[in-house]
Amino acid sequence: QVQLVESGGGLVQAGGSLRLSCAASGRTSSSLAMGWFRQAPGKEREFVAAITWTGGSTYYADSVKGRFTISRDSAKNTVYLQMNSLKPEDTAVYYCAGSYYPGSRSSSAYNYWGQGTQVTVSS
């Protein structure tokens, strides 16, 4: 079993920045890739970004390219999502997730999920 805990969400004005963290614990493996998803009220869960533990390969949704950066600290088993130039449409609950399929953009490919952290961007 792998446990994931997100933190770092909050309320910011448009154009501001936030840094989300996801700490992984339990029976983690270097083969486990990590991703970030988000879900706004009334909308389907949406892929944001993903990263592999070993190679550090990154993947981004088109909507966040150039604004968001995913990274990882292997020693701490922690994944980060640096969010810059935030827009009101970025408002959502953000979830970190773990998958054994590197770079997957489908939520169905992820086996482990955190509880989520709220990100609210005001106009």
Side-chain angles (χ1 to χ4, degrees):
Q1 178 79 334
V2 176
Q3 294 82 44
L4 305 175
V5 180
E6 306 97 331
S7 62
L11 173 64
V12 297
Q13 292 184 334
S17 298
L18 283 174
R19 187 197 192 204
L20 306 184
S21 299
C22 176
S25 61
R27 296 183 62 83
T28 57
S29 171
S30 61
S31 64
L32 187 69
M34 302 298 296
W36 287 95
F37 289 78
R38 65 188 183 186
Q39 188 166 24
K43 294 187 177 181
E44 195 170 297
R45 187 164 49 191
E46 175 189 25
F47 171 80
V48 177
I51 189 169
T52 61
W53 281 110
T54 55
S57 299
T58 57
Y59 310 83
Y60 295 95
D62 289 341
S63 60
V64 305
K65 285 183 178 178
R67 299 189 299 120
F68 291 10
T69 302
I70 188 171
S71 61
R72 85 269 193 254
D73 186 333
S74 297
K76 296 182 178 180
N77 282 342
T78 300
V79 178
Y80 305 95
L81 185 68
Q82 179 66 48
M83 305 185 294
N84 299 325
S85 301
L86 284 163
K87 305 174 181 179
E89 50 262 45
D90 295 318
T91 296
V93 176
Y94 283 70
Y95 300 90
C96 64
S99 174
Y100 293 105
Y101 185 80
S104 177
R105 291 167 169 79
S106 174
S107 61
S108 64
Y110 288 78
N111 305 99
Y112 308 102
W113 294 86
Q115 293 298 307
T117 185
Q118 177 70 48
V119 172
T120 302
V121 184
S122 62
S123 301

